[in-house]
Amino acid sequence: MARGARRSAWTAAACASVTFGLIAWVRGALDAPWIAASVAALVVGGLVGSLFRTRIQVTPEAAARTRHSVAEALLANIPDPVILVDRRAVVIEVNPAARALLPALKLRHPLSFALRAPDVLDGIEEVLRTGAPLKTLYTTRVPTERAFEVQIGALPMPDGPAGGQPNVVLFLRDLTSARRLEAMRVDFVANASHELRTPLASLLGFIETLQGPARNDAPARERFLAIMKTQAHRMTRLIDDLLSLSRIELREHVAPTKPVDLAGIARQMVNTQEPLARERGVELTLEAEGVHRLPGERDELLRVVENLVENAVKYGASGGRVVVSVERDEMPPRRARIVLSVRDEGPGIAPEHIPRLTERFYRVDVASSRDQGGTGLGLAIVKHIVNRHRGRLVIESAPGAGTTVRAFFPEFVAEAGTASGSEAG
């Protein structure tokens, strides 16, 4: 029973009864029988009005419109592409994610106009024929290569114009990130195995030689032992770099908060690398004045400066000069930055190599890198440390023009009421 209709009926009956009572009182005819008649009229009018009230009904068309609005809102909030087509594979409904993936999608147009994938179109026909859902793959290479798992299923439409015949819904799940991660994992295992296999093969070969033909050859034994020592150190560096990279990646989501003086770290590392620079005939200079603090982890920042300076000294030695600088960069109204720059005057790097320099085990010149004792992980470690410090790494180089590597870090800003001292450099 509708509460509003019942209330209206009783209100109308009460108003009529009171009106008649007032008229009788003005005429002087108000007595007990008249009052009893008014009350009886009130009760009868209220009951009759309630019995014959107009019922509030929801038409099937209004209910269908409500369900359609809810379905549209649900589709709009699904992050993956969803496409609804009829039995002729004509598009009925799509969500924003599907429009972004396939801009050519248009309502009431065949799906094949926008999605040229025979496996998907054949899958729609099979689902309509068998009624069983299926999965297939869809890949696109423009503008970038992406892979999707397409789940195709029949969608019953009891209220549809086709007499309850099912339509077909396509749900596209993006597999691009998962496939890239898997490819990186496979490449990493293959590269790490290869990097370890090479020095291990050298060690085994020299051991067999020392046990056989060179057993009593003292000069050959000394030469082979020196090479074996170098290869063992190479494996040790590789394992250390792999462990360091794993530890950094585990903590990459946690930004450091303790203030550290990057200028002091740069001074310490330049002094440490001076012997290597002199050995290779490189002039190593530092341009850093005062204190430049940033929220950081001292040991990790030492590793950043060490790797960048060591790379510049080893691979840019032909230029004869390496300059390390630390400065403050104002970017109003943004937060100021601390910039670490390492510049050499060596042979430089071709443009096609620069985007891949921070990949694990990527080398511009494999033979030269191994001769220099590199593991192929130095810049990957630098990149992850810079990311953990919420910074940015930029590499600028050109053949014959040297190389400059810059790391941008947010400047440390002391909060009110906290100590502003930094770690000693």
Side-chain angles (χ1 to χ4, degrees), residues 184 244-245 248-249 252-253 300-301 303-305 307-308 311 340 354-362 376-395 405-409:
M184 288 176 60
S244 297
L245 193 56
I248 294 165
E249 287 181 326
E252 192 169 347
H253 64 286
E300 293 183 359
L301 292 173
R303 191 70 181 273
V304 168
V305 181
N307 285 355
L308 294 181
N311 281 350
L340 168 69
I354 293 178
R356 301 192 60 189
L357 289 177
T358 56
E359 293 181 10
R360 301 177 186 187
F361 300 112
Y362 184 81
L377 295 172
L379 283 178
I381 292 173
V382 169
K383 181 190 71 172
H384 284 283
I385 293 177
V386 172
N387 288 344
R388 188 192 173 211
H389 286 71
R390 304 304 183 257
R392 186 167 61 96
L393 187 68
V394 178
I395 302 175
V405 182
R406 292 188 177 90
F408 299 85
F409 300 97

Side-chain angles (χ1 to χ4, degrees), residues 70-94:
V70 172
E72 285 184 341
L74 184 61
L75 278 176
N77 286 278
I78 296 178
D80 292 313
V82 180
I83 305 171
L84 179 64
V85 299
D86 63 14
R87 298 182 63 83
R88 300 173 301 161
V90 173
V91 179
I92 300 175
E93 191 62 65
V94 297

